[in-house]
């Protein structure tokens, strides 16, 4: 038998977070792990974040970030912790987590299937392993894929993304990785169509990715050079300020996004949201957005025209959104994770007495 690392779980826990990818990489998983770690520290808990992502020395976080450390050191940190939060379940790293005999809460960012919709061998192994863990998914879409899981939505950083009625000189905004699955092709073709009905509106493309040059070329082919601007990647205050300055934000993913923190950020920034309807983006925005069929440029053009022509539509869609956003605030979601972690840690301790 063993005792948990802390003498008591009444006040605080020692939490080991494994985040396979972390800043300076940019994405939903990186945002989630950083946001939760910061909120756990704010709530008075001890956090150590372990990641396979390299980075510069001198990370300025209110918790230690341990990058590319040895298996032995990871195991030691897990053993010294009360609970492990794994984002996501990693077959490369799960052995030392299991051998530490610490309770594990795992966040699943994607369905456990391959691109063809069928589970591969690695997915089947994960299905077996996850039975020994508390499984968290961000919404109803993911809950249908991963049975016997707890739904805890992904949070947005409410300290950073907020709107207080500032002017919005910008028209349309996209924020995301410049890759086919994010639907940039669909957006560019929809913009070309919508310009026929609403001349001269401008679109800002925020992000970097492997297909940037192809999208620049497509923009030129569609004669969008005067209407679409690619501004590169943004983070932090710069990104928050850019969101507040735009009236409409589009998240046009081709594939079925498991959730979509960026959609929450746009909603919190006072944008009229337009999102693809199949997948978890609708979980992120609730009833406060226009939707269109994934990959359908004609439908997206129609939604853009509606959003740009109707000045009252934003107010209509954003009505009641503050309650929805409150349920997704970083502190609210962190409290739900802490409740799940404290419960599983306590149950584990009791079962071993």
């Amino acid at each position: 038998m063993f005792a948990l690392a802390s003498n008591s779980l009444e006040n605080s826990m020692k939490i080991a977070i494994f985040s396979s990818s972390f800043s300076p990489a940019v994405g939903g998983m990186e945002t989630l792990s950083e946001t939760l770690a910061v909120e756990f520290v704010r709530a008075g808990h001890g956090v150590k974040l372990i990641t396979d992502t390299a980075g510069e020395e001198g990370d300025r976080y209110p918790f230690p970030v341990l990058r590319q450390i040895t298996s032995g050191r990871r195991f030691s940190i897990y053993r010294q912790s009360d609970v492990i939060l794994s984002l996501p379940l990693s077959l490369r790293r799960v052995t030392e987590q299991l051998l530490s005999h610490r309770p594990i809460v795992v966040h699943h960012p994607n369905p456990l299937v391959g691109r063809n919709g069928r589970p591969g061998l690695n997915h089947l192994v994960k299905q077996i392993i996850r039975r020994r863990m508390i499984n968290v998914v961000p919404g109803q879409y993911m809950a249908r894929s991963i049975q016997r899981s707890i739904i805890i939505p992904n949070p947005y950083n409410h300290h950073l993304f907020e709107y207080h009625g500032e002017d919005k000189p910008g028209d349309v905004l996209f924020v995301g990785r410049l890759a086919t699955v994010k639907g940039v092709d669909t957006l560019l073709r929809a913009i070309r169509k919508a310009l026929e009905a609403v001349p001269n509106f401008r679109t800002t493309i925020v992000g970097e990715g492997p297909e940037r040059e192809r999208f620049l070329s497509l923009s030129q082919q569609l004669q969008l050079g005067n209407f679409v601007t690619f501004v590169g990647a943004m983070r932090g205050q710069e990104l928050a300020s850019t969101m507040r300055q735009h009236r409409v934000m589009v998240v046009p993913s081709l594939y079925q996004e498991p959730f979509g923190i960026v959609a929450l950020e746009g909603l919190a920034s006072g944008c009229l949201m337009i999102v693809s309807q199949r997948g978890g983006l609708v979980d992120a925005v609730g009833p406060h957005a226009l939707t269109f069929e994934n990959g359908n440029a004609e439908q997206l053009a129609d939604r853009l025209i509606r959003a740009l022509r109707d000045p009252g539509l934003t107010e209509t869609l954003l009505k009641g959104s503050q309650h929805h956003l409150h349920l997704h605030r970083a502190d609210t979601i962190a409290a739900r994770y802490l409740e799940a972690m404290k419960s599983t840690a306590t149950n584990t301790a009791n079962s071993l007495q």
Side-chain angles (χ1 to χ4, degrees):
M1 294 186 183
F2 59 88
L4 291 179
S6 296
N7 293 327
S8 172
L9 293 172
E10 292 298 318
N11 297 315
S12 66
M13 291 184 291
K14 295 178 181 178
I15 303 170
I17 299 177
F18 171 75
S19 184
S20 59
S21 181
F22 192 65
S23 176
V26 177
M29 181 62 64
E30 295 83 356
T31 299
L32 175 62
S33 55
E34 179 178 339
T35 300
L36 289 177
V38 168
E39 292 299 327
F40 294 162
V41 172
R42 281 194 173 121
H45 300 278
V47 172
K48 291 183 178 179
L49 190 142
I50 301 168
T51 182
D52 291 331
T53 302
E56 296 180 0
E57 293 296 325
D59 287 313
R60 290 180 172 85
Y61 296 102
F63 50 87
V65 179
L66 307 165
R67 299 178 180 274
Q68 298 182 328
I69 59 177
T70 65
S71 176
R73 193 174 176 199
R74 286 193 299 268
F75 176 75
S76 177
I77 292 169
Y78 294 146
R79 283 288 294 169
Q80 295 168 23
S81 302
D82 293 310
V83 63
I84 300 166
L85 174 60
S86 190
L87 301 106
L89 174 57
S90 167
L91 292 183
R92 292 177 60 219
R93 304 303 184 207
V94 72
T95 299
E96 58 224 27
Q97 294 176 355
L98 292 171
L99 290 176
S100 73
H101 293 285
R102 294 295 180 256
I104 302 169
V105 176
V106 58
H107 167 88
H108 296 276
N110 295 296
L112 296 180
V113 294
R115 292 183 178 180
N116 60 3
R118 299 177 181 177
L121 178 59
N122 61 324
H123 303 114
L124 295 173
V125 173
K126 286 183 178 181
Q127 288 283 12
I128 295 171
I129 293 174
R130 77 178 186 89
R131 297 170 188 169
R132 301 184 58 180
M133 305 170 178
I134 299 297
N135 297 274
V136 175
V137 295
Q140 292 291 341
Y141 166 71
M142 283 293 296
R144 291 191 290 271
S145 172
I146 298 180
Q147 302 294 318
R148 296 183 297 278
S149 55
I150 301 171
I151 296 177
I152 304 179
N154 286 342
Y156 76 99
N157 185 342
H158 63 284
H159 306 289
L160 185 61
F161 296 94
E162 54 184 352
Y163 178 64
H164 299 295
E166 297 93 338
D167 290 338
K168 287 181 168 289
D171 295 320
V172 177
L173 177 68
F174 166 90
V175 177
R177 187 162 53 91
L178 300 187
T180 298
V181 295
K182 293 298 183 179
V184 183
D185 302 62
T186 303
L187 175 59
L188 293 174
R189 298 183 192 284
I191 291 168
R192 179 71 271 168
K193 182 69 175 178
L195 280 165
E196 298 173 8
V198 186
N200 300 323
F201 72 87
R202 301 295 195 272
T203 300
T204 304
I205 306 284
V206 175
E208 291 289 352
E211 298 183 75
R212 174 186 173 88
E213 293 305 316
R214 186 172 75 80
F215 296 141
L216 282 169
S217 177
L218 178 60
S219 179
Q220 293 170 358
Q221 292 173 25
L222 295 171
Q223 299 182 329
L224 297 176
N226 294 328
F227 307 105
V228 175
T229 304
F230 291 77
V231 298
M234 293 183 182
R235 295 190 66 191
Q237 287 290 352
E238 183 184 25
L239 176 59
S241 176
T242 297
M243 285 189 180
R244 286 195 295 270
Q245 292 171 15
H246 284 79
R247 296 164 52 200
V248 178
M249 182 169 163
V250 184
V251 189
S253 299
L254 288 182
Y255 81 119
Q256 298 184 41
E257 289 269 8
F259 189 76
I261 295 175
V262 71
L264 274 174
E265 294 169 346
L267 188 64
S269 302
C271 298
L272 188 161
M273 298 302 303
I274 304 175
V275 305
S276 49
Q277 66 190 31
R278 285 187 288 114
L281 286 168
V282 292
D283 289 332
V285 297
H288 306 292
L290 297 178
T291 65
F292 70 99
E293 179 66 22
N294 302 46
N296 191 321
E298 291 281 340
Q299 280 192 12
L300 177 53
D302 173 75
R303 306 306 186 263
L304 283 170
I305 293 167
R306 286 181 59 192
L308 293 166
R309 276 183 169 176
D310 186 349
L313 185 57
T314 299
E315 182 179 354
T316 299
L317 285 173
L318 293 185
K319 186 176 181 179
S321 63
Q322 287 306 310
H323 174 69
H324 177 80
L325 288 167
H326 181 80
L327 297 177
H328 295 80
R329 281 171 45 131
D331 53 356
T332 302
I333 298 305
R336 293 185 60 182
Y337 268 91
L338 288 168
E339 181 181 357
M341 289 190 291
K342 187 168 290 190
S343 175
T344 189
T346 300
N347 291 340
T348 299
N350 291 339
S351 68
L352 294 167
Q353 291 177 355

